[in-house]
Amino acid sequence: MYEDINRVPVMHGDEQKSYYKWFNRELPEIPQWKQDILKDPVKDPSIALSIHDKNKLFDPGELPTEVGIYFPEEGGAIIHNQQFFPNATGAMGEWWFAWFPGDDMRFQIWDPLEHRHSKLPELGAMERLRDPNVPVAEKSRGLLVRALESGERGSETYNISDLYFMDPAEAGYDAEKIHTDACSFLLCCNVFIYTPAGTLPAFGTHFWRDVEGGCQMRTFFWVGYQVINGEGKCLAPKGVTPPLPALVRTLRHNYDEYEFLAQILPDLYAEEKDNWAN
């Protein structure tokens, strides 16, 4: 279904990298139930997960609803998604978020239709990622990743985002519950998205839990929010919400990139888990 969509351009020489083979793979279709959500994405805000209740993620089972777009009363918006990773574990997800920032091609094999560049603007960041003495669980914490991605399949118009990967404890999460049966891995970040219309803040979380047959990842984006001193803060004026078409594009992009990643993560991890060099 993606044959007529241009893939992002790659740098000369990237085709020699061991993981380049994943760039030209046949990409999976988005499940029908997710396509149906895109047609009717706005859900009842009273059952959305408030940023102030984010530690409910550690509760057994699932929350009342974890898919769609919500407009909370205090302002901004919330985007929820779920992704099942067959034959994967949270440890693989933890490795992935420490591994992909080290090279553009790694970012591009994640989503060959929309991911252009992933850079590390801070001095010493690359050395930390490659340092064998830094545990995988700590490599991404405190990392600033500058991503260039389109958000539209095959588009040549890109937005820049700064993602500040945080220590979950500093973000106000119950960190002692991570790496347990309740949560095998948790990644969270303050985000600034730079668009022609202005800068949009957000706070994102990917919550991984090992389950039978693989791993369940639950994604939550609180758009118009940041976590400051461990507390979620709505920076959007009350009643002011991001435009729905932009939120739908973000949700659809999230569907794409994690369906695409779920397709390759176990095999990629097996082949590259010790490859921290370019």
Side-chain angles (χ1 to χ4, degrees), residues 34-43 67-69 248 251:
K34 291 187 175 181
Q35 296 184 42
D36 291 342
I37 289 171
L38 292 175
K39 297 174 185 175
D40 184 23
V42 180
K43 308 301 180 185
V67 293
I69 296 171
V248 172
L251 180 59

Side-chain angles (χ1 to χ4, degrees), residues 82-116:
Q82 282 192 359
Q83 178 66 50
F84 179 66
F85 285 75
N87 304 312
T89 64
M92 295 180 188
E94 192 163 54
W95 167 84
W96 169 255
F97 281 99
W99 187 77
F100 90 78
D103 183 63
D104 279 349
M105 175 51 57
R106 299 175 187 178
F107 190 55
Q108 291 167 340
I109 64 172
W110 181 0
D111 183 345
L113 306 180
E114 298 162 83
H115 284 181
R116 183 69 182 270

Side-chain angles (χ1 to χ4, degrees), residues 15-266:
E15 66 275 6
Q16 303 301 318
K17 294 175 180 176
S18 57
Y19 39 89
Y20 173 78
K21 63 182 181 180
W22 300 109
F23 180 77
N24 288 315
R25 70 189 185 278
E26 183 175 348
L27 299 169
E29 294 189 21
I30 304 305
Q32 187 60 51
W33 70 268
K34 291 187 175 181
Q35 296 184 42
D36 291 342
I37 289 171
L38 292 175
K39 297 174 185 175
D40 184 23
V42 180
K43 308 301 180 185
D44 179 0
S46 68
I47 58 175
L49 179 65
S50 167
I51 196 170
H52 311 295
D53 297 324
K54 60 185 182 294
N55 277 309
K56 288 184 178 181
L57 283 169
F58 294 100
D59 293 349
E62 296 183 2
L63 299 169
T65 183
E66 300 197 10
V67 293
I69 296 171
Y70 306 79
F71 293 106
E73 183 178 351
E74 67 178 331
I78 308 171
I79 299 174
H80 291 189
N81 181 31
Q82 282 192 359
Q83 178 66 50
F84 179 66
F85 285 75
N87 304 312
T89 64
M92 295 180 188
E94 192 163 54
W95 167 84
W96 169 255
F97 281 99
W99 187 77
F100 90 78
D103 183 63
D104 279 349
M105 175 51 57
R106 299 175 187 178
F107 190 55
Q108 291 167 340
I109 64 172
W110 181 0
D111 183 345
L113 306 180
E114 298 162 83
H115 284 181
R116 183 69 182 270
H117 295 303
S118 170
K119 303 298 184 185
L120 300 174
E122 295 184 334
L123 292 175
M126 185 68 75
E127 289 75 13
R128 178 177 172 81
L129 290 182
R130 296 178 179 177
D131 186 345
N133 296 314
V134 177
V136 172
E138 298 178 11
K139 286 182 183 292
S140 64
R141 293 181 183 179
L143 193 68
L144 168 60
V145 177
R146 182 159 294 157
L148 185 68
E149 52 192 339
S150 67
E152 288 280 356
R153 298 168 181 167
S155 172
E156 295 184 1
T157 300
Y158 298 91
N159 290 327
I160 297 174
S161 300
D162 279 343
L163 299 87
Y164 296 85
F165 292 173
M166 304 175 70
D167 183 321
E170 295 178 355
Y173 279 109
D174 293 336
E176 71 278 3
K177 297 179 181 178
I178 302 172
H179 301 134
T180 70
D181 290 344
C183 174
S184 52
F185 167 55
L186 189 153
L187 179 105
C188 57
C189 54
N190 276 331
V191 181
F192 289 98
I193 305 167
Y194 307 107
T195 74
T199 301
L200 183 65
F203 176 74
T205 293
H206 299 305
F207 185 101
W208 297 58
R209 178 180 288 162
D210 292 351
V211 296
E212 183 177 356
C215 193
Q216 188 79 2
M217 186 193 74
R218 303 148 75 195
T219 291
F220 299 82
F221 287 122
W222 290 274
V223 183
Y225 291 74
Q226 293 274 278
V227 166
I228 302 169
N229 297 325
E231 297 290 334
K233 305 290 185 182
C234 181
L235 305 184
K238 188 172 183 178
V240 175
T241 61
L244 181 59
L247 297 173
V248 172
R249 286 195 298 271
T250 300
L251 180 59
R252 201 265 320 141
H253 174 67
N254 193 258
Y255 287 167
D256 279 356
E257 60 185 353
Y258 286 104
E259 288 288 345
F260 297 169
L261 181 60
Q263 178 193 31
I264 65 172
L265 183 58

